[in-house]
Amino acid sequence: MDEAIFKQFADIDIKEIAPGFFSKLIHTETNTINFIEVKAGSSIPRHQHIHQQCSFAIEGQFEMTVNGVPQMLDPGLFAIIPSNAWHGGIAITDCKLIDIFSPVREDYRAL
């Protein structure tokens, strides 16, 4: 197996990036992919960053608020959050989320 290309997901350390948000992070040259398990009731405060963010709920429900507008992410609805847009959210149920950031989240790489 070419380990420069193929990697074991199980080998990625879990990092708690915020209370109740447990992440496995993959960094490429151009983006960061964040696989997150979130406990119900856990929230991320309103914030902004330079990164474009695509957010997907693979399991559960996560209420995402972008530019003051709340929307329920579930397996049928995803969000494309522009650079510098104010956003935050709360897990309504236990959730599995995927966030894709471009460019790379250097702050997450440093965790």
Side-chain angles (χ1 to χ4, degrees):
M1 180 172 75
D2 183 346
E3 292 183 12
I5 295 174
F6 298 98
K7 305 195 184 283
Q8 296 289 328
F9 194 71
D11 290 341
I12 301 172
D13 290 335
I14 297 171
K15 305 201 188 270
E16 189 171 12
I17 60 167
F21 288 73
F22 300 92
S23 294
K24 288 190 173 208
L25 297 160
I26 298 172
H27 306 282
T28 72
E29 290 181 23
T30 57
N31 59 47
T32 295
I33 306 163
N34 186 4
F35 297 84
I36 319 159
E37 292 193 17
V38 187
K39 300 289 183 192
S42 299
S43 64
I44 193 83
R46 185 175 173 264
H47 65 284
Q48 67 181 151
H49 45 70
I50 63 162
H51 312 87
Q52 182 182 57
Q53 177 178 339
C54 298
S55 293
F56 304 85
I58 304 305
E59 291 180 14
Q61 293 184 317
F62 189 86
E63 184 179 87
M64 173 77 71
T65 300
V66 180
N67 291 329
V69 179
Q71 192 69 52
M72 191 68 63
L73 296 183
D74 60 27
L77 184 71
F78 65 94
I80 300 174
I81 304 168
S83 175
N84 292 313
W86 286 98
H87 60 285
I90 185 167
I92 304 305
T93 65
D94 287 349
C95 300
K96 289 187 180 179
L97 310 175
I98 298 174
D99 287 338
I100 303 170
F101 298 96
S102 180
V104 170
R105 290 285 305 250
E106 294 297 340
D107 55 338
Y108 284 0
R109 190 192 304 260
L111 294 176

